[in-house]
């Protein structure tokens, strides 16, 4: 999935943690209120019914079954217990009362009397709880359920992951195509130095041609100091890049992407160790090059290259820089206004380091 592809499990964990912190009190208060309501229901039970529920570890919704067994046993608790131990008789009584079948008694994991299991929400058990308790359960299921709340929150997070910073969750002024960080220095430092929200090893394994292209862009960009923007913000204690030529010297030491993929397959952390043995900042530099690319670049194969473009060369790429919502709006507009066509645009290789991070700019006035 995109979450694993972009290394965003850290982001997911952070957002869920923040959600729980801000909503935990509400969940706790709702659960305590429901618990109190159920406890009030339990206090209304006769000692014999309560004893049978505890014996079989049945939920409160099986109250009517216990009452029926006691009725057939003329109030004798032992006879009622023997009656309920008969699986066939129990199933018969449950069918008569419209109750669902109980879980097997051996190794049973059903909820104890003081808890509310999923059986409490069954439509056939409407007479087992008071109207107040049942309404409270339904309300909690829709609004205050911890699990429902988390699932809803995660779905919203998936839908808007490109709209917010993967570190601090601040909203981007303009929605980028890929999940990325905001302009805060702290987010940039965490993103590039600690690798939060990224997984470059997976990028190297799944898109080696694209990784190779991005490295070539940066290396070519170092030849023009005036256009080498943004400058890679990577540093360690007593180690920092100061000039584009220093970056070029480090990139020349870099193994081929194919060799880096082989190193990744050796195990976790092997790539970082191998690159840092060559240069203390080389791993951080490669991670910066991959993660700061805000466009989506796809390498075209023979099967995906349009026939009319095959004569242009063996290695071709498609670059997209619009967010999905904007792309959908553009396609809808084109459909209603006669379609679209490809136009040729050329730019020096050294310019693409800036283009994939800053976007295309009209430099003609």
């Amino acid at each position: 999935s995109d979450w694993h592809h972009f290394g965003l499990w850290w982001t997911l964990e952070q957002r869920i943690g923040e959600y729980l912190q801000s909503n935990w009190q509400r969940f706790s208060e709702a659960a305590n209120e429901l618990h109190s309501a159920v406890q009030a229901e339990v206090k209304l039970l006769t000692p014999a019914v309560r004893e049978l529920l505890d014996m079989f570890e049945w939920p409160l919704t099986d109250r009517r079954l216990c009452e029926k067994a006691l009725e057939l046993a003329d109030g004798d608790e032992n006879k009622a217990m023997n009656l309920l131990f008969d699986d066939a008789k129990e199933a018969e009584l449950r069918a008569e009362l419209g109750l669902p079948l109980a879980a097997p008694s051996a190794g049973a994991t059903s909820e104890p009397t003081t808890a509310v299991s999923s059986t409490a929400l069954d439509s056939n058990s409407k007479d087992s709880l008071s109207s107040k308790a049942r309404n409270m359960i339904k309300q909690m299921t829709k609004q205050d359920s911890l699990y429902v709340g988390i699932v809803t929150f995660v779905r919203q997070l998936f839908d808007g992951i490109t709209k917010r910073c993967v570190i601090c969750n601040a909203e981007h002024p303009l929605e980028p195509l890929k999940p990325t960080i905001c302009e805060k220095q702290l987010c940039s430092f965490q993103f590039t130095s600690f690798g939060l929200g990224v997984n470059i090893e997976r990028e190297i394994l799944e898109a080696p041609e694209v990784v190779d292209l991005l490295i070539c862009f940066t290396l070519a960009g170092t030849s023009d100091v005036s256009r080498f923007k943004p400058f890679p913000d990577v540093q360690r204690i007593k180690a920092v890049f100061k000039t584009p030529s220093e970056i070029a010297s480090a990139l020349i030491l870099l193994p081929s992407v194919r060799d880096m993929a082989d190193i990744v397959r050796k195990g976790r952390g092997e790539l970082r160790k191998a690159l840092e043995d060559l240069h203390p900042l080389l791993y951080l530099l490669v991670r910066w090059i991959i993660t700061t690319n805000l466009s989506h670049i796809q390498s075209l194969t023979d099967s995906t290259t349009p026939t009319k473009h095959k004569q242009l060369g063996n290695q071709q790429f498609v670059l997209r820089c619009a967010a999905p919502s904007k792309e959908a709006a553009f396609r809808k507009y084109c459909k209603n206004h006669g379609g679209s066509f490809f136009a040729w645009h050329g730019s020096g290789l050294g310019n693409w380091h800036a283009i994939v991070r800053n976007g295309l700019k009209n430099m003609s006035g």
Side-chain angles (χ1 to χ4, degrees):
S1 67
D2 285 346
W3 284 81
H4 189 68
H5 183 70
F6 289 119
L8 292 172
W9 289 115
W10 178 89
T11 303
L12 179 62
E13 180 182 346
Q14 284 291 108
R15 298 294 89 83
I16 290 178
E18 294 167 2
Y19 174 79
L20 289 176
Q21 287 180 357
S22 60
N23 290 276
W24 189 259
Q25 183 176 356
R26 178 169 63 88
F27 288 133
S28 299
E29 290 175 353
N32 289 336
E33 187 177 354
L34 178 59
H35 181 71
S36 299
V38 173
Q39 288 288 6
E41 296 285 329
V42 172
K43 290 180 181 179
L44 297 177
L45 300 177
T46 64
V49 172
R50 194 181 307 173
E51 183 70 24
L52 288 175
L53 288 174
D54 286 338
M55 171 65 68
F56 291 96
E57 295 186 340
W58 284 339
L60 184 58
T61 49
D62 282 340
R63 181 186 68 182
R64 288 190 298 144
L65 177 63
C66 298
E67 292 173 343
K68 184 65 176 179
L70 286 167
E71 179 186 336
L72 295 175
D74 295 326
D76 189 314
E77 188 175 333
N78 289 328
K79 290 182 179 180
M81 191 179 301
N82 291 331
L83 182 66
L84 294 174
F85 269 123
D86 186 333
D87 292 340
K89 189 61 178 177
E90 179 200 337
E92 181 182 331
L93 291 176
R94 285 183 177 277
E96 179 183 337
L97 297 170
L99 294 173
L101 293 177
S105 57
T109 57
S110 55
E111 298 290 340
T113 304
T114 55
V116 177
S117 71
S118 58
T119 310
L121 301 178
D122 192 280
S123 60
N124 294 325
S125 62
K126 60 183 180 180
D127 296 328
S128 301
L129 293 173
S130 69
S131 176
K132 177 182 178 181
R134 283 188 286 109
N135 289 337
M136 193 176 298
I137 291 170
K138 291 180 180 178
Q139 184 179 4
M140 279 193 65
T141 305
K142 295 179 180 178
Q143 300 178 1
D144 298 302
S145 167
L146 177 63
Y147 302 109
V148 173
I150 290 178
V151 170
T152 302
F153 176 75
V154 169
R155 181 172 181 177
Q156 293 172 348
L157 198 57
F158 268 96
D159 292 340
I161 187 60
T162 59
K163 298 178 181 179
R164 295 182 175 274
C165 173
V166 297
I167 302 296
C168 72
N169 205 37
E171 189 170 355
H172 294 302
L174 296 174
E175 181 183 357
L177 176 63
K178 296 168 63 176
T180 187
I181 54 171
C182 62
E183 296 181 352
K184 296 177 184 175
Q185 290 187 348
L186 179 59
C187 293
S188 176
F189 176 75
Q190 291 177 319
F191 194 63
T192 57
S193 299
F194 298 145
L196 300 182
V198 296
N199 188 339
I200 70 166
E201 284 81 2
R202 191 173 181 86
E203 292 273 3
I204 290 172
L205 292 176
E206 295 193 352
E209 298 89 353
V210 175
V211 172
D212 187 56
L213 182 67
L214 291 172
I215 293 171
C216 290
F217 284 166
T218 300
L219 182 58
T222 59
S223 62
D224 189 342
V225 177
S226 63
R227 297 190 178 186
F228 191 65
K229 298 175 182 179
F231 191 88
D233 182 21
V234 293
Q235 57 183 304
R236 296 179 63 181
I237 298 176
K238 297 182 180 180
V240 61
F241 288 122
K242 296 180 180 180
T243 63
S245 60
E246 292 180 353
I247 292 175
S249 298
L251 288 177
I252 290 174
L253 302 174
L254 195 64
S256 69
V257 176
R258 181 177 297 178
D259 290 341
M260 286 195 287
D262 291 337
I263 296 173
V264 170
R265 295 187 186 97
K266 291 180 180 180
R268 187 175 182 179
E270 290 297 322
L271 179 65
R272 180 165 194 156
K273 182 178 182 300
L275 297 187
E276 289 184 348
D277 285 344
L278 298 173
H279 189 287
L281 293 177
L282 190 53
Y283 177 81
L284 295 181
L285 177 59
V286 173
R287 185 162 65 193
W288 184 93
I289 290 173
I290 295 174
T291 57
T292 55
N293 166 39
L294 297 184
S295 60
H296 175 68
I297 303 175
Q298 178 184 356
S299 175
L300 295 179
T301 62
D302 289 338
S303 60
T304 57
T305 303
T307 304
K308 60 183 178 180
H309 294 159
K310 285 186 176 180
Q311 70 274 17
L312 298 179
N314 294 327
Q315 189 66 59
Q316 297 183 55
F317 298 86
V318 169
L319 183 147
R320 295 184 176 90
C321 57
S325 57
K326 293 183 178 180
E327 181 69 17
F330 173 75
R331 290 182 179 275
K332 182 178 179 180
Y333 179 87
C334 291
K335 183 178 180 180
N336 297 331
H337 293 80
S340 63
F341 60 90
F342 285 100
W344 185 86
H345 171 77
S347 190
L349 186 63
N351 296 336
W352 287 93
H353 168 84
I355 291 173
V356 298
R357 293 169 178 83
N358 301 324
L360 281 171
K361 296 184 178 180
N362 185 355
M363 307 301 291
S364 58

